[in-house]
């Protein structure tokens, strides 16, 4: 418990950002027509690929002789970018179909 | 961190919020997706090149290769896959994101094991990432049909919970000892993966969309946790946005099915898989031919089409649009009734029908169309089952009791196109098929509708 309080004290900005982001997420998503649920889910899924930034950081910090760290980092980058590129491309393809005929 | 990189991350974060917001409106959705993608690209490029580390060239080469390989594979899958396979694809990509978070944790744990707070974030990242990875793969397998049955251990809730507690206990032990032990670390990884499997395997029926949405949200949380570890704002905010978006979507879906999240996870829905013996008092069914149906529709003034997963499976979205155009040409007022969870994902039907250029304005949502079934002459149900099952209204013992449905039984005639009398995804009998107003048009949706279109053209 003390350590948690200590962490919050040391990272007060992060804590604020964390909590405010939750509200932003809820507000931004709220009241979305059911039509867009699937593309939205797909787009949000692409965004969760932001974890790739961490994967790149792992590789940048790796010792070139640390084979295990490099392999895991390499895999993490591949999987992360798959999530990003695949996610955005699929969302784009879905939305491409929403043409309004008038 | 350099000022430039901080600014880039800030811009990326803003594009994420703007992008998600624009994704929520039909007119701006495409732009929103592109904006967010642009921000993501910026964040990735900035991360690779802007830092003050001494990085050997080989590392850059490896990063470049990894990005190239992943991008090409991701792009190819995204472009090649059929529109009907969208839900499982989202699940698959989601699993990859979770796996990425787990791998990061595996590398970082040995470096940060002595710092309790850091170790806690890393361990949570490994567990959550592992659960999303294996869980998403199971969901993917279930949706594409390679994992058909609902596999359930006896007392699965108790087993799952005990297992989860064991995983958490192991995590706490690892953090409190503050010693790096690779065996425990990989044990934890396996624990997370196994829990993901145990978590999704028993969930079946119509609940799969909810699970995908929940797992999607978990991946966001895993990304955010990794962001805390690196003190990286773009990961933190991006991850949290996805986390809360996923939760809101999950709740919206649960509401549409009149279920609570706990009942989805702990499964009262799928508990009654037993359908034998329930169909004895239902009476007989009436068969219809394509020409019967064509005549009925030709002389109708209001027709409502109820699309379901069968439409997607048969790839019949184009032929149904053709049917709709012919009927409209004959002066029939045609609408589509879209149940919020028709198909395998909310909005699945909309995406599919949009693919075949169906006008957005004649897709009517459940609450808006239900009062109009009284004035509807013919309802054509194509490959939908549970979402039109009156048991949701009048059979308190039914597992879907209380779920809002499309009240098609109020229409004058109902034509149901199905491949066979097999039960729907929830695995229960549908008395609508035995209604005296209902006729059954058996066959693959595409074949049956093509025949129907042919008949209508000759009239």
């Amino acid at each position: 418990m003390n350590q948690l309080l200590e962490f919050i004290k040391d990272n007060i900005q992060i804590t604020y950002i964390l909590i405010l982001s939750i509200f932003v997420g809820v507000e931004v998503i709220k009241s979305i027509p059911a039509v867009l649920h699937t593309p939205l889910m797909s787009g949000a899924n692409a965004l969760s690929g932001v974890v790739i930034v961490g994967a790149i950081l792992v590789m940048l910090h790796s010792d070139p002789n640390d084979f295990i760290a490099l392999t895991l980092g390499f895999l993490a980058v591949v999987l992360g970018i798959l999530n990003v590129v695949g996610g955005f491309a699929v969302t784009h393809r879905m939305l491409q179909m929403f043409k309004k005929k008038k | 961190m350099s000022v430039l990189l901080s600014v880039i991350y800030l811009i990326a974060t803003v594009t994420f919020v703007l992008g998600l917001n624009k994704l929520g409106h039909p007119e701006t959705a495409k732009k929103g997706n592109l904006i967010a993608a642009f921000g993501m690209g910026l964040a990735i490029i900035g991360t690779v090149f802007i830092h003050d580390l001494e990085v050997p060239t080989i590392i850059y080469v490896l990063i470049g290769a990894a990005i190239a390989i992943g991008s090409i594979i991701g792009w190819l899958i995204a472009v090649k896959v059929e529109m009907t396979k969208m839900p499982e694809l989202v699940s698959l990509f989601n699993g990859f994101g979770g796996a990425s978070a787990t791998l990061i944790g595996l590398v970082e744990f040995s470096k940060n094991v002595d710092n309790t707070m850091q170790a806690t974030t890393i361990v949570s990242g490994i567990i959550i990432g592992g659960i999303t990875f294996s869980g998403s793969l199971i969901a993917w397998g279930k949706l594409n049909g390679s994992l058909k049955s609902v596999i359930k251990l006896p007392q699965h809730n108790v087993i799952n919970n005990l297992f989860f507690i064991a995983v958490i206990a192991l995590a706490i032990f690892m953090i409190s000892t503050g010693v790096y032990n690779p065996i425990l670390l990989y044990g934890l990884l396996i624990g997370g993966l196994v829990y993901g499997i145990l978590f999704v395997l028993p969930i079946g029926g119509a609940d799969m969309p909810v699970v995908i949405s929940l797992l999607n949200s978990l991946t966001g949380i895993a990304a955010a946790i990794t962001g805390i570890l690196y003190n990286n704002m773009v990961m933190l905010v991006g991850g949290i946005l996805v986390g809360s978006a996923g939760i809101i979507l999950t709740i919206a879906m649960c509401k549409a099915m009149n279920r609570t999240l706990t009942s989805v996870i702990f499964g009262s829905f799928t508990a009654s898989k037993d359908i034998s013996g329930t169909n004895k008092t239902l009476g007989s069914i009436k068969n219809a031919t394509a020409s019967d149906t064509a005549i009925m529709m030709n002389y109708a003034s209001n027709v409502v089409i109820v699309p379901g997963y069968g439409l997607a499976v048969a790839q019949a979205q184009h032929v149904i649009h053709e049917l709709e155009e012919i009927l409209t040409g004959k002066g029939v007022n045609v609408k589509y009734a879209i149940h919020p969870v028709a198909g395998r994902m909310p909005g699945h039907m909309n995406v599919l029908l949009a693919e075949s250029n169906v006008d957005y304005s004649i897709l009517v949502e459940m609450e808006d169309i239900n009062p109009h079934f009284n004035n509807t002459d013919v309802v054509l149900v194509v490959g939908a089952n549970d979402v039109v099952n009156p048991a949701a209204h009048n059979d308190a013992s039914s597992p879907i009791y209380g779920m809002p449905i499309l009240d098609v039984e109020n229409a004058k005639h109902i034509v149901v196109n199905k491949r066979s009398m097999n039960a729907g995804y929830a695995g229960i009998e549908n008395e609508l098929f035995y209604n005296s107003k209902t006729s059954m048009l058996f066959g693959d949706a595409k074949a049956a509708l093509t025949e129907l279109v042919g008949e209508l053209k000759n009239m």
Side-chain angles (χ1 to χ4, degrees), chain A:
Chain A
M1 196 61 203
N2 270 340
Q3 254 173 327
L4 184 66
L5 290 177
E6 192 74 9
F7 178 81
I8 292 176
K9 196 186 107 205
D10 293 344
N11 297 280
I12 191 70
Q13 280 179 318
I14 289 247
T15 313
Y16 267 84
I17 291 170
L18 184 88
I19 292 174
L20 292 178
S21 303
I22 296 175
F23 286 100
V24 174
V26 171
E27 283 306 315
V28 159
I29 269 52
K30 230 164 64 180
S31 70
I32 278 181
V35 202
L36 286 170
H37 277 176
T38 300
L40 179 76
M41 190 187 227
S42 178
N45 170 49
L47 279 187
S48 66
V50 73
V51 74
I52 179 141
V53 168
I56 293 171
L57 290 176
V58 164
M59 289 207 76
L60 288 175
H61 287 93
S62 295
D63 180 340
N65 300 314
D66 186 347
F67 183 69
I68 295 179
L70 274 186
T71 312
L72 294 178
F74 186 83
L75 272 178
V77 174
V78 172
L79 291 169
I81 197 84
L82 250 168
N83 191 179
V84 170
V85 174
F88 281 121
V90 155
T91 314
H92 186 73
R93 227 183 113 195
M94 268 185 225
L95 293 171
Q96 196 84 318
M97 294 168 184
F98 285 97
K99 278 181 238 141
K100 259 198 171 172
K101 277 199 312 184
K102 271 281 134 75

Side-chain angles (χ1 to χ4, degrees), chain B residues 243-410:
Chain B
S244 36
I247 296 281
I248 297 295
L249 257 181
T250 311
I251 293 171
M253 275 181 240
C254 286
K255 269 196 190 139
M257 297 192 292
N258 198 23
R259 318 240 302 126
T260 61
L261 196 52
T262 44
S263 61
V264 170
I265 295 169
F266 299 114
S268 56
F269 199 104
T270 50
S272 50
K273 193 70 181 153
D274 178 27
I275 59 161
S276 57
T278 54
N279 53 353
K280 44 193 173 218
T281 55
L282 287 168
S284 58
I285 58 160
K286 202 163 60 193
N287 277 315
T289 63
S291 67
D292 298 340
T293 314
I295 292 168
M296 224 193 276
M297 290 185 140
N298 197 29
Y299 298 105
S301 42
N302 289 305
V303 169
V304 173
I305 299 171
V306 178
Y309 191 59
L311 179 88
V313 172
Q315 299 271 349
Q317 65 269 35
H318 296 288
V319 56
I320 200 142
H321 178 49
E322 206 184 332
L323 175 74
E324 163 227 318
E325 281 187 321
I326 290 176
L327 287 172
T328 311
K330 290 175 181 287
V332 181
N333 179 12
V334 187
K335 289 201 166 15
Y336 293 88
I338 309 292
H339 191 278
V341 294
R344 289 292 182 268
M345 244 182 168
H348 191 182
M349 290 301 127
N350 304 78
V351 172
L352 211 65
L353 293 171
E355 188 195 0
S356 55
N357 279 325
V358 171
D359 189 354
Y360 191 76
S361 63
I362 59 170
L363 303 180
V364 190
E365 293 193 21
M366 181 177 63
E367 304 84 57
D368 301 322
I369 194 108
N370 266 346
H372 297 291
F373 280 116
N374 285 323
N375 310 320
T376 302
D377 303 301
V378 182
V379 170
L380 177 66
V381 179
V382 185
N385 191 343
D386 299 327
V387 297
V388 293
N389 191 341
H393 284 326
N394 49 29
D395 178 5
S397 69
S398 170
I400 61 164
Y401 183 67
M403 176 174 112
I405 56 159
L406 291 162
D407 299 322
V408 296
E409 76 267 26
N410 294 340

Side-chain angles (χ1 to χ4, degrees), chain B residues 38-80:
Chain B
F38 169 76
M40 184 71 79
L42 214 56
I44 292 173
I45 294 169
T47 311
V48 175
F49 292 109
I50 306 172
H51 51 76
D52 40 23
L53 299 163
E54 295 247 344
V55 178
T57 324
I58 178 73
I59 301 261
Y60 281 120
V61 173
L62 285 175
I63 294 178
I67 289 181
I69 294 171
S71 303
I72 292 170
I73 300 176
W75 179 265
L76 285 180
I77 300 179
V79 174
K80 286 265 153 75

Side-chain angles (χ1 to χ4, degrees), chain A residues 58 66-73 75-76, chain B residues 99 101-111 113 122-123 126-127 129-131 133-134 163 166-167 170-171 173-175 179-195:
Chain A
V58 164
D66 186 347
F67 183 69
I68 295 179
L70 274 186
T71 312
L72 294 178
L75 272 178
Chain B
T102 296
L103 292 172
I104 295 170
L106 289 182
V107 178
E108 291 293 337
F109 186 72
S110 60
K111 300 179 194 163
V113 68
I122 294 169
V123 163
I126 293 176
I127 298 175
I131 294 173
F133 176 60
S134 60
F163 191 83
V167 172
L170 175 61
F173 175 75
M174 286 167 64
I175 296 164
V179 184
Y180 173 59
N181 180 339
I183 296 171
L184 290 186
L185 182 65
Y186 286 93
L188 188 78
L189 168 69
I190 292 168
L193 292 174
V194 172
Y195 183 73

